[in-house]
Amino acid sequence: DTGVSQNPRHKITKRGQNVTFRCDPISEHNRLYWYRQTLGQGPEFLTYFQNEAQLEKSRLLSDRFSAERPKGSFSTLEIQRTEQGDSAMYLCASLTPGDPGANVLTFGAGSRLTVL
Amino acid sequence: DQQVKQNSPSLSVQEGRISILNCDYTNSMFDYFLWYKKYPAEGPTFLISISSIKDKNEDGRFTVFLNKSAKHLSLHIVPSQPGDSAVYFCAANWGTSGSRLTFGEGTQLTVNP
């Protein structure tokens, strides 16, 4: 499978615990994005990387959230001291190379977080 | 501040008829628009896109229309098939946004046999 891979697919945790999600993008894609989707809403941008550099962070990404892409390949998204409001689907996407402005994001299946 | 808006949470059509999904946007900087389809327990899948220099793009049963003056785009599916039943998201970006997409809320399309 050469698509975007996300693990774990589903995580249930208690409030206050830390969780980490992993994303393995399509190998030749140098851009990697994290989005969050809550029920009844579209995906909301969190952050993105070009290679190992984190180029932009949304104001949705509070201090409890940290994302890394240390070697420019896979990425991790960690949420510390989880809150019930963090319950959502966390989507990872990587970029299909193309003409500027004609780029298409390829999404993984997502990691669903449930905070009890 | 919802810059991309899909006002219809759901749409139901009969198999073989046309499905029309609508999307409005407020940010004049948007210059590229995409539609994604999402099945339950899967990530969004790219369907079709259109650049702001065009007003129509067609791919098989799917056609996207863009009306820049009205800041409105629509996705037409004809003929609709039961397998098209999914949530459809409209998304937009602009040239200096790093390909960061802004999504609408989605429309649940149900195609009845």
Side-chain angles (χ1 to χ4, degrees), chain B residues 15-72:
Chain B
E15 181 179 4
R17 306 296 292 269
I18 185 171
S19 296
I20 300 176
L21 296 98
N22 294 302
C23 177
D24 297 294
Y25 63 95
T26 58
N27 191 337
S28 299
M29 293 179 65
F30 288 143
D31 59 9
Y32 200 72
F33 304 89
L34 306 89
W35 284 93
Y36 279 80
K37 178 170 72 172
K38 186 179 185 303
Y39 294 116
E42 296 183 11
T45 303
F46 170 72
L47 192 57
I48 192 169
S49 61
I50 187 167
S51 163
S52 61
I53 63 173
K54 297 184 177 181
D55 55 19
K56 177 183 175 181
N57 188 27
E58 192 171 353
D59 183 1
R61 297 186 296 115
F62 303 92
T63 303
V64 56
F65 296 91
L66 175 62
N67 182 334
K68 290 188 293 295
S69 60
K71 294 189 175 69
H72 177 83

Side-chain angles (χ1 to χ4, degrees), chain A residues 1-6 24-27 107-109:
Chain A
D1 184 14
T2 58
V4 177
S5 176
Q6 292 189 245
D24 289 88
I26 294 172
S27 58
F107 283 88

Side-chain angles (χ1 to χ4, degrees), chain B residues 72-109:
Chain B
H72 177 83
L73 65 156
S74 61
L75 174 68
H76 292 209
I77 306 172
V78 56
S80 301
Q81 299 173 353
D84 296 329
S85 297
V87 178
Y88 289 78
F89 292 102
C90 170
N93 70 2
W94 68 91
T96 57
S97 68
S99 299
R100 169 167 56 80
L101 295 179
T102 301
F103 283 85
E105 306 94 325
T107 297
Q108 171 70 58
L109 173 66

Side-chain angles (χ1 to χ4, degrees), chain A residues 5-56:
Chain A
S5 176
Q6 292 189 245
N7 289 287
R9 292 292 309 276
H10 194 181
K11 178 72 175 179
I12 301 172
T13 191
K14 292 182 179 178
R15 186 165 49 96
Q17 298 295 305
N18 299 344
V19 296
T20 300
F21 300 115
R22 175 177 170 130
C23 172
D24 289 88
I26 294 172
S27 58
E28 63 268 28
H29 291 181
N30 60 4
R31 284 192 182 175
L32 184 149
Y33 299 76
W34 285 100
Y35 281 79
R36 180 179 74 182
Q37 184 181 10
T38 53
L39 194 63
Q41 298 296 316
E44 297 173 291
F45 170 77
L46 293 178
T47 188
Y48 89 95
F49 294 83
Q50 177 146 325
N51 299 314
E52 64 274 12
Q54 188 172 18
L55 295 188
E56 186 176 353

